[in-house]
Amino acid sequence: MLITLKEAAKKIKAANKILITAHIQPDGDAIGSTLALMQMLRAMDKTAQVYIDDTVRKNLHVLPHFEEIRRPNDGEKFDADLLLILDTSPDRIGKVRDLTDAPILNIDHHITNKGKDVELFDEPKAAATCEIIFKLADELGAEITPDIATCLYTGIATDTGFFQFSNTRAETLRIASELINLGVKPHWISEELEKRSAAEVLGMKTALNSLKIFYGGKVAGMFLTLDDMKKIDSTEGFIDLIRVIDGVDVAFMISEKADKVCRVSMRSKGVDVSKVANELGGGGHIRAAGCTLYKNLAEAEEILVEAIGKAI
Ligand code: 5GP
Ligand code: MN
């Protein structure tokens, strides 16, 4: 059920013990939005705890209060009266779903989130969930401290490719500008987030070696096998290496996570890749989407290339 931001704020105000989470394979927006909201709610004298059921890319560990994020254990319970799910629909939060039976409030900006069976505030035009949390602060009457501003700015910067993608609106830059006024150091965040280990850069080399071009140059793909993946701890940003190829509309990367488990990332300059991902059981945004295919790498390639072919 779709609700307004005001209604979402009312539900949050009425709750006292709030469990906050976001999607597995968390990105800057998932971590930034959950940590920002946790700090706001604690300042309102509420119990608020972030749980994420995954490892988090090292670059994001510098965010204020990052060390307080917990990962759920099997059978663990958390005493909550509200489960706040940010930046995803409830199907991508892993074991956090089992921590509590509290009512769910979902806040997201994914166009593919349908709000099935839960109360959802969804704003697909928002570049990041952090944009929405910025506005929610106003509704909650919460102060945005420099630490909170740093978390929110990180989510907006990462989801817009540092203000380069088509989801960057005047409103996005206005909010970013206000966050800088509130104490964000943009150069510090950029420097922390661009850091990569030598192993990661070597991983990029491996990925680039696998480059294939399809449909007369309109589609480009990279492929990482299970063996490759064992040597790479993060593939964050790899897809951007080929997104830039002149004439390429859809770039994709398939990485083999386990036997017959392939993660797919897609980026586009025009085609709606959220539809392609949705068809294959995933989701995302018009120009950035993903899914998991329970196939081997060669089969996954065939299925994906065919689905993209139909969309272009
Ligand atoms: P990425 O390629 O960075 O992993 O994901 C791009 C976008 O698609 C992100 O907004 C992410 O949340 C979304 N996405 C990626 N994989 C999935 C998936 O399996 N299911 C859904 N619903 N969304 C996904
Ligand atoms: Mn996001």
Side-chain angles (χ1 to χ4, degrees), residues 237-294:
F238 282 23
I239 196 163
D240 297 321
L241 297 169
I242 59 170
R243 193 178 51 83
V244 297
I245 299 172
D246 192 16
V248 164
D249 186 349
V250 179
F252 70 83
M253 185 172 74
I254 310 181
S255 38
E256 201 174 19
K257 293 273 160 167
D259 186 38
K260 290 202 184 274
V261 183
C262 286
R263 274 291 311 160
V264 173
S265 273
M266 287 181 278
R267 298 291 183 271
S268 116
K269 293 174 195 146
V271 168
D272 183 351
V273 285
S274 77
K275 282 193 186 149
V276 180
N278 217 353
E279 244 175 59
L280 299 173
H285 308 286
I286 293 171
R287 292 190 169 81
C291 60
T292 300
L293 295 174
Y294 298 91

Side-chain angles (χ1 to χ4, degrees), residues 23 25-28 30-32 35 50-63 66 69-71 233-234 236:
H23 54 87
Q25 290 151 354
D27 53 16
I31 300 301
L35 283 179
V50 176
Y51 273 87
I52 302 279
D53 187 18
D54 212 338
T55 52
V56 180
R57 186 182 171 209
K58 217 168 132 204
N59 304 54
L60 295 169
H61 294 202
V62 299
L63 285 183
F66 175 83
I69 296 179
R70 295 185 199 155
R71 191 170 179 175
D233 41 80
S234 166
E236 181 79 27

Side-chain angles (χ1 to χ4, degrees), residues 211-249:
L211 174 66
K212 280 195 207 170
I213 304 289
F214 304 88
Y215 301 113
K218 290 201 192 103
V219 176
M222 293 193 296
F223 308 85
L224 291 168
T225 65
L226 201 52
D227 260 0
D228 297 333
M229 291 299 289
K230 280 181 192 148
K231 293 171 216 142
I232 302 171
D233 41 80
S234 166
T235 57
E236 181 79 27
F238 282 23
I239 196 163
D240 297 321
L241 297 169
I242 59 170
R243 193 178 51 83
V244 297
I245 299 172
D246 192 16
V248 164
D249 186 349

